[in-house]
Amino acid sequence: MYSRIIGTGGYLPEKILTNQDLESMVDTSDEWIQTRTGIKQRHIAAPDQTTSDLALIASQNAIKAANISVSDIDLVIVATTTPDMIFPSTACILQNKLGIAGNSPAFDIQAVCSGFIYALATADMFVSSGKARNALIVGSEVCSRILDWNDRTTCVLFGDGAGAVVLTQSDTPGILSSHLHADGSYSQILAAPASIQSGKMEGTPFITMEGGTVFKFAVRVLEEAVLEALNSNHLQPADVDWLVPHQANIRIIASTAKKLGIPQEKVVATVAQHGNTSAASVPLALDQAVSDGRIQPGQNVVLEGVGGGFTWGSILLRW
Ligand code: COA
């Protein structure tokens, strides 16, 4: 038995923050941001919108696209680094908001920008083994809440949003393979290192990053992760119809594709409009390419992600 995605959905908050808007907030320029990152704008959640609110709309869109009833969902996984609260999990809050409280297991996955890859790989194990029939997998983030809006080296990079898929049992693939990795010795190069010690918060809750080190690390491991996916299915880069990468920086996306020999026309890029939405970036990009008809049945699609931890991974699927 295999698992297969039968519906995708996305949601981006109404408010758009452009590079020009950022010019009046920190010492930066539209030219610098576009040249170094490819980002033109990002969406920002309203003050009263939480990660589960964004996840709810993306989930409803995915369930509608899957043409199933919400009561058919028997597993809920949310990938997020910006949960509504320390606990309960955002997945439990989402399950309740969907009106299916008590119907399924529900849990969060914390793998930062690789979160959706980790969550989809986990759901695949439930569905392909028969432990779940229809899994809802969501990447949802309000990155804007963990940014220092005075730090130009980070605040220009991230945005808010949510993407979701419904994964169901299938006799035909579907997901062909998933490959997950982590190396905790790189935990300090990208972090929001706040912790509670003796009842007091220690460290900053805002994103801190060694940009150059992260850049080099990302390009190296993403190439390896995609090759691992291809090799384990006896496929070549030329067999890839669509590469749906994590959307952190257009230069990382372009370098990875170039090293692999995958032409840019086969790469789905949303980073210009969304910025880096962490765990939401891959499902939002996937939803866009499915909705606009680029991804077609029978095609080979590679998803990849990298993020804090460090974590990284890839998933190869036949659409
Ligand atoms: N606007 C204007 N100047 C800025 C700036 C901004 N928003 N942010 C940094 N700068 C400045 C720096 O201070 C530096 O100035 P200096 O030379 O006077 O010290 C200069 O621009 C160059 O900085 P540098 O860090 O070398 O730029 P870069 O080409 O490496 O690009 C990143 C910086 C952050 C865009 C790039 O390193 C990157 O994308 N890294 C990966 C980040 C990422 O993807 N994180 C998430 C992974 S999941």
Side-chain angles (χ1 to χ4, degrees):
M1 189 152 37
Y2 294 96
S3 74
R4 169 182 284 279
I5 294 173
I6 55 163
T8 66
Y11 173 71
L12 291 157
E14 225 170 275
K15 182 180 168 186
I16 290 173
L17 187 71
T18 63
N19 292 349
Q20 285 78 11
D21 295 331
L22 281 164
E23 285 176 354
S24 63
M25 295 165 64
V26 286
D27 181 14
T28 193
S29 66
D30 174 45
E31 199 265 334
W32 191 96
I33 301 170
Q34 283 209 49
T35 313
R36 305 289 175 123
T37 72
I39 299 168
K40 295 182 176 167
Q41 62 169 53
R42 68 289 292 144
H43 291 248
I44 303 292
D48 61 347
Q49 271 184 319
T50 62
T51 290
S52 67
D53 292 328
L54 274 51
L56 177 64
I57 302 172
S59 300
Q60 287 166 333
N61 290 337
I63 291 166
K64 193 170 170 210
N67 203 19
I68 62 166
S69 158
V70 65
S71 59
D72 294 327
I73 299 292
D74 57 3
L75 174 65
V76 179
I77 306 180
V78 174
T80 188
T81 307
T82 48
D84 286 16
M85 51 188 83
I86 294 174
F87 74 84
S89 71
T90 304
C92 284
I93 297 168
L94 173 65
Q95 185 207 48
N96 191 35
K97 285 186 177 174
L98 283 166
I100 53 170
N103 281 17
S104 69
F107 57 91
D108 287 0
I109 280 187
Q110 218 295 31
V112 202
C113 299
S114 315
F116 182 79
I117 301 292
Y118 266 66
L120 187 59
T122 305
D124 171 49
M125 292 176 211
F126 275 83
V127 174
S128 60
S129 67
K131 296 275 184 208
R133 196 171 285 275
N134 294 296
L136 174 67
I137 305 101
V138 193
S140 185
E141 302 278 14
V142 286
C143 297
S144 59
R145 306 270 159 82
I146 57 165
L147 289 172
D148 175 353
W149 287 99
N150 296 311
D151 177 6
R152 68 176 183 172
T153 68
T154 52
C155 76
V156 303
L157 302 175
F158 295 89
D160 301 339
V165 302
V166 173
L167 192 71
T168 200
Q169 286 177 354
S170 168
D171 294 334
T172 53
I175 291 182
L176 291 164
S177 67
S178 59
H179 308 272
L180 303 180
H181 298 277
D183 184 340
S185 69
Y186 286 90
S187 59
Q188 78 291 350
I189 65 171
L190 179 59
S195 63
I196 297 167
Q197 308 287 351
S198 311
K200 284 197 184 132
M201 190 170 82
E202 302 267 329
T204 174
F206 300 127
I207 294 176
T208 59
M209 184 179 71
E210 290 174 29
T213 315
V214 169
F215 192 102
K216 285 184 210 118
F217 188 96
V219 174
R220 175 171 64 80
V221 299
L222 289 174
E223 183 196 14
E224 286 170 7
V226 173
L227 286 176
E228 187 178 22
L230 293 174
N231 291 341
S232 74
N233 291 284
H234 310 291
L235 294 173
Q236 305 298 319
D239 298 316
V240 175
D241 293 298
W242 293 105
L243 178 65
V244 185
H246 172 49
Q247 310 284 321
N249 181 321
I250 197 68
R251 288 160 54 218
I252 296 178
I253 295 171
S255 304
T256 307
K258 193 172 171 203
K259 283 170 87 179
L260 289 160
I262 297 175
Q264 295 301 323
E265 309 84 73
K266 293 183 170 184
V267 179
V268 179
T270 54
V271 67
Q273 285 76 39
H274 301 175
N276 181 348
T277 58
S278 191
S281 92
V282 171
L284 271 169
L286 180 67
D287 179 53
Q288 192 167 96
V290 170
S291 305
D292 66 22
R294 271 179 286 175
I295 296 181
Q296 287 294 319
Q299 291 186 327
N300 293 322
V301 180
V302 180
L303 315 179
E304 47 93 322
V306 61
F310 246 75
T311 56
W312 66 101
S314 60
I315 293 181
L316 180 67
L317 45 92
R318 180 132 326 120
W319 198 256

